[in-house]
Amino acid sequence: MDNNIRVKIDEILEEICKINDLTAKADILTYMERQAAFQLWQLEEDLRVDHNMKDF
């Protein structure tokens, strides 16, 4: 993983840890989880398409 991305993720998580409102914190983390899941799904779909193209 690119170290710059890792640093940015860590910085975001540090900011989230500073939030005292637990509802807001849960909302933010849920949003991040959904976004990450979508990105992972998109990547897996791209990999499937790429793999299928190689089969032809």
Side-chain angles (χ1 to χ4, degrees):
M1 175 189 315
D2 184 295
N3 194 50
N4 290 330
I5 292 173
R6 186 179 303 243
V7 168
K8 288 177 185 179
I9 292 170
D10 290 343
E11 288 172 353
I12 290 169
L13 291 175
E14 286 176 25
E15 287 297 314
I16 292 169
C17 287
K18 294 176 186 176
I19 297 171
N20 292 323
D21 182 347
L22 294 179
T23 303
K25 190 183 287 191
D27 288 344
I28 292 165
L29 292 172
T30 300
Y31 174 78
M32 288 178 64
E33 184 179 33
R34 278 193 229 127
Q35 291 295 77
F38 178 73
Q39 290 295 319
L40 183 57
W41 172 82
Q42 227 176 9
L43 175 61
E44 290 169 346
E45 187 64 23
D46 290 346
L47 288 170
R48 273 193 290 277
V49 168
D50 188 54
H51 180 73
N52 288 341
M53 295 298 284
K54 290 179 182 176
D55 287 344
F56 288 107

